[in-house]
PDB file of all heavy atoms in Angstrom:
ATOM      1  N   SER F  35     -24.980 -10.814 -14.890  1.00  0.00           N
ATOM      2  CA  SER F  35     -25.192 -11.745 -13.714  1.00  0.00           C
ATOM      3  C   SER F  35     -24.432 -13.005 -13.915  1.00  0.00           C
ATOM      4  O   SER F  35     -23.743 -13.474 -13.011  1.00  0.00           O
ATOM      5  CB  SER F  35     -26.665 -12.116 -13.641  1.00  0.00           C
ATOM      6  OG  SER F  35     -27.472 -10.946 -13.482  1.00  0.00           O
ATOM      7  N   LYS F  36     -24.537 -13.601 -15.111  1.00  0.00           N
ATOM      8  CA  LYS F  36     -23.909 -14.888 -15.369  1.00  0.00           C
ATOM      9  C   LYS F  36     -22.403 -14.798 -15.141  1.00  0.00           C
ATOM     10  O   LYS F  36     -21.761 -15.635 -14.474  1.00  0.00           O
ATOM     11  CB  LYS F  36     -24.182 -15.359 -16.777  1.00  0.00           C
ATOM     12  CG  LYS F  36     -23.797 -16.742 -17.082  1.00  0.00           C
ATOM     13  CD  LYS F  36     -24.021 -17.144 -18.543  1.00  0.00           C
ATOM     14  CE  LYS F  36     -22.900 -16.564 -19.467  1.00  0.00           C
ATOM     15  NZ  LYS F  36     -22.993 -16.956 -20.851  1.00  0.00           N
ATOM     16  N   MET F  37     -21.784 -13.785 -15.708  1.00  0.00           N
ATOM     17  CA  MET F  37     -20.293 -13.685 -15.611  1.00  0.00           C
ATOM     18  C   MET F  37     -19.875 -13.258 -14.242  1.00  0.00           C
ATOM     19  O   MET F  37     -18.827 -13.719 -13.787  1.00  0.00           O
ATOM     20  CB  MET F  37     -19.734 -12.768 -16.747  1.00  0.00           C
ATOM     21  CG  MET F  37     -19.912 -13.271 -18.148  1.00  0.00           C
ATOM     22  SD  MET F  37     -19.541 -15.079 -18.392  1.00  0.00           S
ATOM     23  CE  MET F  37     -17.815 -15.129 -17.847  1.00  0.00           C
ATOM     24  N   ASN F  38     -20.612 -12.353 -13.591  1.00  0.00           N
ATOM     25  CA  ASN F  38     -20.209 -11.995 -12.194  1.00  0.00           C
ATOM     26  C   ASN F  38     -20.201 -13.264 -11.314  1.00  0.00           C
ATOM     27  O   ASN F  38     -19.272 -13.466 -10.559  1.00  0.00           O
ATOM     28  CB  ASN F  38     -21.295 -11.029 -11.605  1.00  0.00           C
ATOM     29  CG  ASN F  38     -21.012  -9.588 -12.007  1.00  0.00           C
ATOM     30  OD1 ASN F  38     -20.131  -9.336 -12.785  1.00  0.00           O
ATOM     31  ND2 ASN F  38     -21.810  -8.682 -11.459  1.00  0.00           N
ATOM     32  N   GLU F  39     -21.204 -14.088 -11.478  1.00  0.00           N
ATOM     33  CA  GLU F  39     -21.288 -15.340 -10.728  1.00  0.00           C
ATOM     34  C   GLU F  39     -20.093 -16.247 -10.988  1.00  0.00           C
ATOM     35  O   GLU F  39     -19.420 -16.773 -10.116  1.00  0.00           O
ATOM     36  CB  GLU F  39     -22.593 -16.083 -11.161  1.00  0.00           C
ATOM     37  CG  GLU F  39     -23.212 -16.916 -10.043  1.00  0.00           C
ATOM     38  CD  GLU F  39     -24.561 -17.446 -10.503  1.00  0.00           C
ATOM     39  OE1 GLU F  39     -25.480 -16.639 -10.725  1.00  0.00           O
ATOM     40  OE2 GLU F  39     -24.646 -18.670 -10.731  1.00  0.00           O
ATOM     41  N   ARG F  40     -19.786 -16.333 -12.307  1.00  0.00           N
ATOM     42  CA  ARG F  40     -18.646 -17.159 -12.741  1.00  0.00           C
ATOM     43  C   ARG F  40     -17.357 -16.652 -12.145  1.00  0.00           C
ATOM     44  O   ARG F  40     -16.511 -17.419 -11.674  1.00  0.00           O
ATOM     45  CB  ARG F  40     -18.626 -17.115 -14.278  1.00  0.00           C
ATOM     46  CG  ARG F  40     -17.433 -17.820 -14.941  1.00  0.00           C
ATOM     47  CD  ARG F  40     -17.512 -19.331 -14.899  1.00  0.00           C
ATOM     48  NE  ARG F  40     -16.287 -19.905 -15.425  1.00  0.00           N
ATOM     49  CZ  ARG F  40     -15.494 -20.732 -14.648  1.00  0.00           C
ATOM     50  NH1 ARG F  40     -15.843 -21.069 -13.450  1.00  0.00           N
ATOM     51  NH2 ARG F  40     -14.420 -21.248 -15.165  1.00  0.00           N
ATOM     52  N   ILE F  41     -17.144 -15.321 -12.209  1.00  0.00           N
ATOM     53  CA  ILE F  41     -15.896 -14.736 -11.673  1.00  0.00           C
ATOM     54  C   ILE F  41     -15.827 -14.944 -10.192  1.00  0.00           C
ATOM     55  O   ILE F  41     -14.795 -15.380  -9.616  1.00  0.00           O
ATOM     56  CB  ILE F  41     -15.852 -13.221 -12.026  1.00  0.00           C
ATOM     57  CG1 ILE F  41     -15.630 -13.001 -13.515  1.00  0.00           C
ATOM     58  CG2 ILE F  41     -14.760 -12.525 -11.207  1.00  0.00           C
ATOM     59  CD1 ILE F  41     -15.821 -11.621 -14.040  1.00  0.00           C
ATOM     60  N   LEU F  42     -16.903 -14.677  -9.511  1.00  0.00           N
ATOM     61  CA  LEU F  42     -16.908 -14.822  -8.027  1.00  0.00           C
ATOM     62  C   LEU F  42     -16.718 -16.284  -7.589  1.00  0.00           C
ATOM     63  O   LEU F  42     -16.131 -16.516  -6.518  1.00  0.00           O
ATOM     64  CB  LEU F  42     -18.166 -14.219  -7.439  1.00  0.00           C
ATOM     65  CG  LEU F  42     -18.226 -12.686  -7.608  1.00  0.00           C
ATOM     66  CD1 LEU F  42     -19.625 -12.173  -7.180  1.00  0.00           C
ATOM     67  CD2 LEU F  42     -17.142 -11.981  -6.818  1.00  0.00           C
ATOM     68  N   SER F  43     -17.155 -17.247  -8.414  1.00  0.00           N
ATOM     69  CA  SER F  43     -16.975 -18.611  -8.080  1.00  0.00           C
ATOM     70  C   SER F  43     -15.518 -19.075  -8.021  1.00  0.00           C
ATOM     71  O   SER F  43     -15.168 -20.106  -7.558  1.00  0.00           O
ATOM     72  CB  SER F  43     -17.726 -19.493  -9.144  1.00  0.00           C
ATOM     73  OG  SER F  43     -16.981 -19.641 -10.305  1.00  0.00           O
ATOM     74  N   GLN F  44     -14.659 -18.223  -8.595  1.00  0.00           N
ATOM     75  CA  GLN F  44     -13.226 -18.538  -8.611  1.00  0.00           C
ATOM     76  C   GLN F  44     -12.522 -18.295  -7.320  1.00  0.00           C
ATOM     77  O   GLN F  44     -11.366 -18.625  -7.109  1.00  0.00           O
ATOM     78  CB  GLN F  44     -12.515 -17.727  -9.695  1.00  0.00           C
ATOM     79  CG  GLN F  44     -12.967 -17.981 -11.109  1.00  0.00           C
ATOM     80  CD  GLN F  44     -12.494 -19.380 -11.556  1.00  0.00           C
ATOM     81  OE1 GLN F  44     -11.536 -19.954 -11.023  1.00  0.00           O
ATOM     82  NE2 GLN F  44     -13.158 -19.876 -12.590  1.00  0.00           N
ATOM     83  N   ASP F  45     -13.247 -17.663  -6.382  1.00  0.00           N
ATOM     84  CA  ASP F  45     -12.713 -17.416  -5.003  1.00  0.00           C
ATOM     85  C   ASP F  45     -11.399 -16.664  -4.961  1.00  0.00           C
ATOM     86  O   ASP F  45     -10.556 -16.954  -4.083  1.00  0.00           O
ATOM     87  CB  ASP F  45     -12.525 -18.734  -4.287  1.00  0.00           C
ATOM     88  CG  ASP F  45     -13.732 -19.089  -3.473  1.00  0.00           C
ATOM     89  OD1 ASP F  45     -14.454 -18.198  -3.072  1.00  0.00           O
ATOM     90  OD2 ASP F  45     -13.964 -20.283  -3.194  1.00  0.00           O
ATOM     91  N   ASN F  46     -11.259 -15.668  -5.836  1.00  0.00           N
ATOM     92  CA  ASN F  46     -10.091 -14.799  -5.728  1.00  0.00           C
ATOM     93  C   ASN F  46     -10.492 -13.690  -4.734  1.00  0.00           C
ATOM     94  O   ASN F  46     -11.407 -12.909  -5.006  1.00  0.00           O
ATOM     95  CB  ASN F  46      -9.733 -14.178  -7.077  1.00  0.00           C
ATOM     96  CG  ASN F  46      -8.543 -13.255  -6.987  1.00  0.00           C
ATOM     97  OD1 ASN F  46      -8.687 -12.164  -6.436  1.00  0.00           O
ATOM     98  ND2 ASN F  46      -7.408 -13.645  -7.483  1.00  0.00           N
ATOM     99  N   LEU F  47      -9.799 -13.614  -3.577  1.00  0.00           N
ATOM    100  CA  LEU F  47     -10.226 -12.757  -2.467  1.00  0.00           C
ATOM    101  C   LEU F  47     -10.234 -11.286  -2.872  1.00  0.00           C
ATOM    102  O   LEU F  47     -11.166 -10.523  -2.517  1.00  0.00           O
ATOM    103  CB  LEU F  47      -9.278 -12.985  -1.281  1.00  0.00           C
ATOM    104  CG  LEU F  47      -9.911 -12.601   0.019  1.00  0.00           C
ATOM    105  CD1 LEU F  47     -11.031 -13.574   0.371  1.00  0.00           C
ATOM    106  CD2 LEU F  47      -8.854 -12.617   1.138  1.00  0.00           C
TER     107      LEU F  47
END
Side-chain angles (χ1 to χ4, degrees):
Chain F
S35 302
K36 190 184 77 176
M37 292 317 300
N38 277 5
E39 212 174 294
R40 173 75 186 119
I41 289 168
L42 293 172
S43 79
Q44 296 290 340
D45 266 335
N46 179 290
L47 204 67

